[in-house]
């Protein structure tokens, strides 16, 4: 009963539309002596390449047996343009800190030399 099932991959876009990506019918042979035992099978399906930012959405896998349907929790995928640059302020903070410390060091040195005279 459970040796024949279908696997479907789909995604739900920003408009809540369900878009089918791939589906296949699987038939699994049960080796002698392995009847009535739980088995885990892994299926890897890669969706490449994602064409544009409109491919952003939540991607799901669904398995259907005769009377049972199981759906994965979904994976959210954010697709960005190729020209996208992640803004990072690490360099700005580092340069600002270096300039500030330099100014303080020069001021302290000048005050120290002025006191000595």
């Amino acid at each position: 009963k459970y040796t024949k099932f279908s696997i479907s991959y789909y995604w739900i876009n920003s408009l809540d539309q369900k878009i089918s990506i791939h589906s296949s019918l699987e038939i699994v042979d049960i080796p002698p002596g392995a009847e009535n035992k739980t088995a885990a099978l892994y299926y890897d399906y890669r969706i490449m390449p994602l064409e544009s930012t409109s491919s952003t959405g939540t991607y799901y896998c669904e398995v259907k047996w005769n009377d049972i349907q199981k759906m994965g929790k979904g994976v959210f995928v954010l697709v960005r343009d190729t020209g996208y640059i992640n803004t990072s302020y690490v360099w700005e903070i580092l340069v600002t800190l270096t300039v500030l410390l330099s100014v303080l060091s020069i001021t302290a040195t000048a005050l120290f030399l002025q006191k000595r005279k």
Side-chain angles (χ1 to χ4, degrees), residues 1-8 24-28 30 37-43 61-72:
K1 174 177 173 177
Y2 298 108
T3 60
K4 187 176 180 181
F5 55 93
S6 66
I7 300 175
S8 301
S24 63
L25 182 63
E26 301 291 330
I27 300 172
V28 178
I30 300 174
K37 292 184 180 176
T38 301
L41 303 173
Y42 296 94
Y43 292 88
C61 174
E62 183 177 75
V63 179
K64 292 181 185 178
W65 289 273
N66 294 334
D67 55 345
I68 299 172
Q69 178 177 330
K70 294 286 182 179
M71 186 173 89

Side-chain angles (χ1 to χ4, degrees), residues 14-100:
S14 59
L15 303 173
D16 271 349
Q17 297 169 324
K18 183 177 177 178
I19 299 166
S20 179
I21 299 170
H22 176 77
S23 59
S24 63
L25 182 63
E26 301 291 330
I27 300 172
V28 178
D29 291 327
I30 300 174
E35 297 90 353
N36 296 324
K37 292 184 180 176
T38 301
L41 303 173
Y42 296 94
Y43 292 88
D44 187 19
Y45 182 76
R46 296 177 192 265
I47 303 165
M48 305 260 296
L50 297 173
E51 288 102 25
S52 67
T53 56
S54 63
S55 299
T56 294
T58 306
Y59 288 73
Y60 295 93
C61 174
E62 183 177 75
V63 179
K64 292 181 185 178
W65 289 273
N66 294 334
D67 55 345
I68 299 172
Q69 178 177 330
K70 294 286 182 179
M71 186 173 89
K73 294 178 183 177
V75 174
F76 180 76
V77 176
L78 174 63
V79 181
R80 296 179 176 163
D81 286 334
T82 54
Y84 179 82
I85 299 173
N86 196 5
T87 54
S88 173
Y89 300 104
V90 174
W91 284 109
E92 287 88 350
I93 292 170
L94 190 60
V95 168
T96 304
L97 190 62
T98 303
V99 169
L100 182 64

Side-chain angles (χ1 to χ4, degrees), residues 100-111:
L100 182 64
L101 288 175
S102 298
V103 168
L104 288 174
S105 176
I106 291 169
T107 305
T109 304
L111 289 173

